[in-house]
Amino acid sequence: MKILVTGGAGFIGSAVVRLAVARGHKVVNLDALTYAGCLENLASVADDPLYSFEHADIRDRAALDRILAVHQPDAVMHLAAESHVDRSIDGPGDFIETNITGTYNMLEAARSYWVAQGKREGFRFHHISTDEVYGSLGPEGMFTEDTPYDPRSPYSASKASSDHLVRAWHETYGLPVVLTNCSNNYGPFHFPEKLVPVVILNALAGKPIPVYGEGLNVRDWLYVEDHADALLLVLEKGAMGRYNIGGENEARNIDLVKTICGILDQKRPKETPYANQITFVQDRAGHDLRYAIDPSRIRDELGWRPSVTVEEGLERTVQWYLDNEDWWRALQNRDGVGQRLGTKG
Ligand code: NAD
């Protein structure tokens, strides 16, 4: 297959690109290289003849038309997005423009390309979304593919809007779409403003390890390479429609943070336990209490399950950050990294 991946220089997109190339797919990576984009994530495939890069913005419709016409992909995997909830609280505008208008541009460009190709049956537009569109759960229950939308942050509302557009383009124009809604990812190349890398890097720097509120928010954690594997499986073998993807690894934030501290105690011992650096800070506005994914559809129809437990995945992740200091040090100078964001609401 020849796949056009948007956002391929980001955390999840780069995992998808690396895996797709390893499996013999041709990949065109379309990325605007915002503060979150990092071509170093793709160093292992940069010289591979299966890989090519297009520096473009999904808000630029003419660029999308040109790239589709030049590369003639069999499928589009759309991951490009503004992805950090805290940044969406401080400045929602970029989230509206990239996540909603950008997705609209992608859909229109893909539709005219697909029509020009005689509405080829095998073509797929795969929209990668989040479980955050479903809102916040109490202590019981799980999100299924039929859970009503209830987004509560500017980020999740912008992703929910993009999901609605994707569904509408299928119903109205017949565009062959598949939609996946996934839980929290973690793993190598995670941008150093998100919870797991913040914990690792602040711990190593001897700084306070910030935990929002009382750390009781629950997330379902999925190792990023397992997510990439699920996405390629859905693209290759899935039916049209939606699949929820989860890690079967629910954990309270405070427990996740303590697990990471324990791994660091083993790998990089010092006089006092890293958990002593944990500091509770003001909670995020509108912080959803709990997300949990019911993964029955992808498990029963496609036989997919995560390959690692959260303990194994975190162990690999911590080791990766210990081994790749040059990568994360270079990103620490980027705008907003290392600062408390999301307090301007
Ligand atoms: P990320 O922020 O690490 O990467 C986003 C990438 O998109 C960057 O390379 C950036 O340069 C690019 N980009 C941003 N705006 C662009 C634009 N206007 N035009 C072209 N490229 C642009 O994000 P991520 O964590 O890898 O998430 C990827 C996708 O997966 C997003 O759609 C996100 O909503 C979804 N998702 C993320 C998670 C998670 O836990 N991180 C979970 C579920 C779903």
Side-chain angles (χ1 to χ4, degrees), residues 9-12 31-32 34 37 57-58 79 83 98 129 155 159 183 185:
F11 166 50
I12 302 171
D31 200 295
T34 67
D57 195 309
I58 60 168
L79 295 100
S83 71
T98 283
S129 191
Y155 164 65
K159 290 297 291 188
S183 59
N185 284 218

Side-chain angles (χ1 to χ4, degrees), residues 6-14 30-38 56-59 78-84 97-99 102 127-132 155 159 180-186 189-191 193-194 227:
T6 73
F11 166 50
I12 302 171
S14 65
L30 184 167
D31 200 295
L33 300 181
T34 67
Y35 81 93
C38 191
D57 195 309
I58 60 168
R59 290 168 292 187
H78 176 40
L79 295 100
E82 289 291 338
S83 71
H84 190 31
E97 286 172 18
T98 283
N99 298 0
H127 179 62
I128 284 77
S129 191
T130 165
D131 61 356
E132 302 194 26
Y155 164 65
K159 290 297 291 188
T180 48
N181 294 77
C182 183
S183 59
N184 277 45
N185 284 218
Y186 67 97
F189 301 102
H190 208 178
F191 195 77
E193 65 183 354
K194 301 280 175 71
H227 187 197

Side-chain angles (χ1 to χ4, degrees), residues 1-65:
M1 252 201 287
K2 186 169 198 181
I3 309 170
L4 175 66
V5 176
T6 73
F11 166 50
I12 302 171
S14 65
V16 170
V17 172
R18 292 189 303 269
L19 188 63
V21 168
R23 292 191 179 163
H25 297 297
K26 283 191 176 160
V27 177
V28 181
N29 170 23
L30 184 167
D31 200 295
L33 300 181
T34 67
Y35 81 93
C38 191
L39 284 179
E40 288 73 19
N41 300 3
L42 296 162
S44 62
V45 296
D47 297 326
D48 195 304
L50 292 174
Y51 171 78
S52 59
F53 176 59
E54 289 279 1
H55 188 191
D57 195 309
I58 60 168
R59 290 168 292 187
D60 178 354
R61 170 68 197 277
L64 304 182
D65 287 338

Side-chain angles (χ1 to χ4, degrees), residues 95-105 157-159 161-162 165:
F95 290 72
I96 305 303
E97 286 172 18
T98 283
N99 298 0
I100 305 178
T101 309
T103 299
Y104 160 72
N105 283 333
S158 69
K159 290 297 291 188
S161 306
S162 67
L165 292 176

Side-chain angles (χ1 to χ4, degrees), residues 156-309:
S156 56
S158 69
K159 290 297 291 188
S161 306
S162 67
D163 290 11
H164 290 318
L165 292 176
V166 171
R167 284 151 52 102
W169 259 242
H170 175 64
E171 296 295 337
T172 306
Y173 304 112
L175 188 71
V177 307
V178 60
L179 192 82
T180 48
N181 294 77
C182 183
S183 59
N184 277 45
N185 284 218
Y186 67 97
F189 301 102
H190 208 178
F191 195 77
E193 65 183 354
K194 301 280 175 71
L195 177 63
V196 169
V198 164
V199 173
I200 299 169
L201 302 185
N202 282 30
L204 290 174
K207 292 183 183 165
I209 299 171
V211 173
Y212 289 178
E214 296 173 70
L216 302 180
N217 307 71
V218 175
R219 300 291 182 261
D220 175 6
W221 293 93
L222 177 63
Y223 192 58
V224 67
E225 290 172 10
D226 277 341
H227 187 197
D229 177 54
L231 292 176
L232 287 173
L233 182 66
V234 167
L235 183 70
E236 287 164 14
K237 305 230 168 78
M240 274 188 251
R242 180 204 304 278
Y243 291 85
N244 281 350
I245 305 173
E248 301 179 29
N249 277 311
E250 269 189 64
R252 298 187 310 174
N253 284 351
I254 185 64
D255 297 327
L256 185 93
V257 171
K258 285 181 177 166
T259 302
I260 296 170
C261 289
I263 296 169
L264 279 167
D265 287 335
Q266 299 283 321
K267 289 186 179 290
R268 194 56 76 82
K270 62 182 177 78
E271 270 176 25
T272 51
Y274 287 96
N276 288 4
Q277 291 165 234
I278 293 173
T279 309
F280 294 98
V281 299
Q282 186 197 338
D283 207 350
R284 169 189 284 163
H287 202 175
D288 291 338
L289 179 65
R290 177 171 166 262
Y291 304 141
I293 287 276
D294 174 353
S296 315
R297 184 178 183 203
I298 189 165
R299 187 185 58 217
D300 298 348
E301 280 185 24
L302 302 179
W304 182 87
R305 294 198 65 182
S307 72
V308 291
T309 63

